[in-house]
Structure formats: C-alpha cells, structure tokens
Amino acid sequence: MALSWVGVCRGSALLVLYGMRPIGVTASLCSPIPVSTRVSLSICRRYSSSKARLGLGRRVVTRLQWANEKYERFLQRRFPRFYVLYHTFMRGFRLLFQDAKEVRKIKMKTLSGGVQFHQLPYREMETLRQFRRDLIKAIPLVLISVPPFANYLVFVLMYLFPRQLLIRHFWTPQQQVEFQGVYHARRAQHHGAIVQGITRAVPRVQNQQQQSLLLDLCNKVQNGAHPSVSEIQAVRGLFSGPPLGMKRLDTDHMRLLCSQLFLTPHLPAFLIRQRLSGHALELLQLDRALNRLGLHQLSDAELRQACYVRGLYANGLSAKQCREWLSHWLQLSTRLKESEASLLLHGMVLLSVNSLRLFHR
C-alpha cells in the first residue's frame, strides 16, 4: 500500500518543528508522535503524582503541628506544672538530637580529614567532651528501661530523681542553676582536705627554697587569701616529679582530686590515676584551644560554663568577673607542660577556693 503523501509531509513538518527524527509514519492522515514527547508526558504524569504526594505530606505535617500546638496550649492552661515538664522533655530531646548531629559532623571531620582532638576548635572540643559525659550518665537509665513495660518505671524515676538520672538537656533553667550549686557544694567540701594534702607534702621537698615557697602558698590559701599565678608557677616543678607529680600522689589524695572533676573515687588506684591524667590532659588541650579563640568570643553562658568546668561556681558573677578569673586561669594552664598535669588539677582548688578576694582587690 502506498504511503499517504499528506502524512509524509506532516511528518516532515514535525521533524522541522521538534528537531527530532520521527520513528514512523501512519498510513492515514494522522501525524506521528515522537518518542521524546511520549516520555515527556509520562514524566509529567509521574511528577504530578509525586507532587501530589508531597503536598499531602505537607498538609499532614501542618495538621500535626497545629494539633500539637493546641495540645500544648491546653496543658499550659489546665495543667501548668505538667506543661513545664512536658515542654522541658520535648526541648531536651531536640537539643540532644542537635548535639548528636553536631558530634557526628565533628567525628566525620576528624576521620576524613585526619584532624586530631587537640587540633579542633574550642567549641567542637567542648561539645565532644560534654556529649561523652552525657552518654555515660545516660547508660544506667537505658539499662533500666530494657525490660518490658519498664518505661513507666523509668518515667517515675526521672520525675523523682531528675538530678541523678537526667542529663542537662532535660533540666529546667531553675534546675540547672540548682543542680550546679549542689554539685559544686560537694566539690567544695574537699577543698580544705586537698590543701592539707599539699601541706603534708612540704617536708618531702628536698630543695629548701622550693619547700619555703610551697609552705607559703599553702598558708596563704588556708588564711583566706587568693594566690597569684606567679606564686603557683614558682612551685610548678614539684607537680611534675616528687612529691606531687601525678605518679607520686597517694591513693587517698587522688580520690579527693576526683571530686573536682566529678569522677567516681570508687575504683582501683591505677584506674583513678589513669582517669585523672586523661581528664587533666583533655582540660589542658581545651585551655589551649580557648586561648587561641579568645575569651571575648564567648557568650555569658559559655563563660560561666567554662568557669564551672575549671572549678569556679560562677552563679552570681558578672561576665566581666568570669572573664577576669578565666584570664588568670589561662595564664597558669597555657604555660604548663603535659608532665605538669597534676598542677592543673590542684590549680582548680588553689585558684577557686578564695576567688572572691580576686574581685575585691
């Protein structure tokens, strides 16, 4: 059968218009449809259905957000005390999820880029340090919740013992201030015993001049005066070897130092020494990163947290006072060697026990 000349002409016209080669021509007056056109129509149909599903998902999320906001307003109006707990828990989960994402990014950077912990910026180092401590504290709660139907018991325990079981993300702002005060009070109970432990080490100092300087330092602190950084640095050699180096400390004195870092003292002596050394070196690296960053870059909350980590309870202090104390601390810590880590731990007591005298000079 001869092909229709009109069909051929129309097929050629389509070839010119679309810039495509027609696959075939019908024997009637109908024009051929290019393959690319059929594919485009198929893609459009798929895109339309995908767009419809996306729009439906957005509407569902919007409705859920609306319902959640309405539920929160109902709780805030009818059950204000429960609303505070509910809001705190929801906010805590969001903050914990954000921290987990941030830690993952930092870990990926250290693994892919070959960056060591001491090379990280200060805020990233602090995030890793705090997140690790939060996970360690959360382990007992996770173990309790493993048995079936134990989640109800866990919720009751979290309500009754928030300081012991919950991490900082799930504390209200009032609880954060209160619990930090409780922990610091327990830390401060051992200040006197730690200074007495340094005093008992004075007779073991062989150098008479060093012995006199160490005794004067202890007497000054025990009499309520705030020592200068230069007075502490004058005896730094005694904290790298005998009698106050990390490897020379007796077990009882190390257990007292555990309280300054909120570490458990109920471990064998070699484990206590290992943990104290590790945390002291970590704090030393944090101080070097903080010195590179500059104290003026920290917010008021970051300044108070930095003071608290280093032994000073900064609640009630101004940002200027926190910055002044931290500048004294960095003058000491940034000049220390890793072998003098013991002095860093003792400095948490020596520079904080009479810190108020620093602000009233």
Side-chain angles (χ1 to χ4, degrees):
M1 181 183 295
L3 294 177
S4 171
W5 178 252
V6 178
V8 172
C9 292
R10 291 183 179 178
S12 302
L14 286 175
L15 176 63
V16 174
L17 290 176
Y18 289 102
M20 304 171 187
R21 179 169 54 90
I23 301 303
V25 182
T26 60
S28 63
L29 297 180
C30 298
S31 301
I33 300 177
V35 175
S36 60
T37 305
R38 294 196 297 268
V39 173
S40 300
L41 294 175
S42 176
I43 292 176
C44 289
R45 286 194 296 269
R46 293 179 184 177
Y47 175 76
S48 300
S49 60
S50 175
K51 187 175 181 180
R53 288 195 296 269
L54 183 61
L56 178 62
R58 288 178 177 175
R59 287 196 296 270
V60 171
V61 171
T62 302
R63 294 292 296 178
L64 288 176
Q65 290 177 346
W66 174 82
N68 185 64
E69 292 174 357
K70 187 174 182 180
Y71 176 66
E72 289 185 356
R73 289 195 296 269
F74 169 75
L75 290 178
Q76 189 175 12
R77 185 175 62 254
R78 294 295 183 88
F79 307 99
R81 296 183 63 183
F82 181 78
Y83 169 77
V84 172
L85 294 176
Y86 172 82
H87 180 73
T88 301
F89 270 87
M90 295 302 295
R91 174 179 172 272
F93 279 115
R94 286 194 296 268
L95 292 176
L96 185 61
F97 182 69
Q98 291 175 4
D99 280 359
K101 290 173 59 178
E102 182 66 23
V103 167
R104 182 178 179 275
K105 291 180 181 178
I106 299 172
K107 289 291 188 180
M108 291 297 294
K109 182 171 70 173
T110 57
L111 293 176
S112 61
V115 180
Q116 301 296 325
F117 177 79
H118 66 275
Q119 297 174 327
L120 292 173
Y122 170 75
R123 289 188 174 93
E124 293 184 359
M125 293 175 66
E126 178 63 19
T127 299
L128 289 177
R129 187 195 69 85
Q130 189 61 53
F131 189 76
R132 184 175 64 249
R133 295 180 70 93
D134 290 339
L135 284 183
I136 293 174
K137 185 176 181 181
I139 287 176
L141 190 64
V142 173
L143 295 178
I144 295 175
S145 61
V146 168
F149 307 105
N151 52 342
Y152 300 104
L153 175 62
V154 169
F155 185 80
V156 174
L157 292 176
M158 289 190 299
Y159 178 77
L160 295 177
F161 307 101
R163 178 173 59 82
Q164 293 83 353
L165 296 179
L166 297 182
I167 58 178
R168 55 193 173 91
H169 296 303
F170 300 96
W171 293 344
T172 63
Q174 295 79 9
Q175 285 177 331
Q176 290 183 9
V177 176
E178 176 187 352
F179 295 162
Q180 277 195 351
V182 172
Y183 285 129
H184 180 73
R186 294 183 177 181
R187 179 167 61 182
Q189 290 177 355
H190 302 282
H191 284 172
I194 292 175
V195 176
Q196 290 176 4
I198 300 175
T199 306
R200 287 195 297 268
V202 170
R204 289 181 284 161
V205 178
Q206 301 297 326
N207 187 290
Q208 294 295 325
Q209 183 180 4
Q210 290 285 296
Q211 185 183 75
S212 177
L213 291 174
L214 184 61
L215 183 60
D216 291 343
L217 176 64
C218 294
N219 290 335
K220 187 173 185 177
V221 174
Q222 289 174 330
N223 291 330
H226 184 76
S228 64
V229 175
S230 59
E231 290 174 329
I232 300 177
Q233 287 179 338
V235 295
R236 57 188 291 183
L238 302 177
F239 291 85
S240 59
L244 294 169
M246 188 64 69
K247 296 181 180 180
R248 303 300 183 108
L249 296 176
D250 59 73
T251 305
D252 292 336
H253 194 75
M254 288 193 300
R255 295 187 193 279
L256 293 174
L257 289 175
C258 286
S259 63
Q260 306 307 298
L261 296 172
F262 308 113
L263 302 176
T264 177
H266 308 296
L267 291 173
F270 74 96
L271 284 179
I272 293 178
R273 181 174 287 106
Q274 183 178 357
R275 298 191 72 193
L276 286 175
S277 300
H279 281 76
L281 293 178
E282 184 180 61
L283 187 57
L284 191 63
Q285 293 168 351
L286 273 173
D287 289 339
R288 292 171 180 173
L290 178 57
N291 192 52
R292 292 193 299 266
L293 176 66
L295 295 176
H296 62 281
Q297 297 289 342
L298 299 184
S299 64
D300 293 356
E302 288 175 327
L303 284 171
R304 292 187 173 86
Q305 179 63 22
C307 290
Y308 182 74
V309 169
R310 291 156 179 81
L312 179 67
Y313 182 55
N315 186 38
L317 299 181
S318 65
K320 180 181 178 180
Q321 291 172 329
C322 293
R323 196 174 290 110
E324 181 180 0
W325 187 88
L326 282 173
S327 66
H328 283 76
W329 171 270
L330 290 179
Q331 289 176 21
L332 172 65
S333 65
T334 53
R335 299 177 185 177
L336 296 180
K337 303 176 183 178
E338 294 184 357
S339 59
E340 299 167 334
S342 175
L343 180 55
L344 196 69
L345 300 179
H346 289 87
M348 296 178 67
V349 178
L350 297 174
L351 288 177
S352 65
V353 64
N354 300 317
S355 57
L356 294 179
R357 298 293 181 93
L358 174 65
F359 309 126
H360 295 90
R361 288 179 176 177

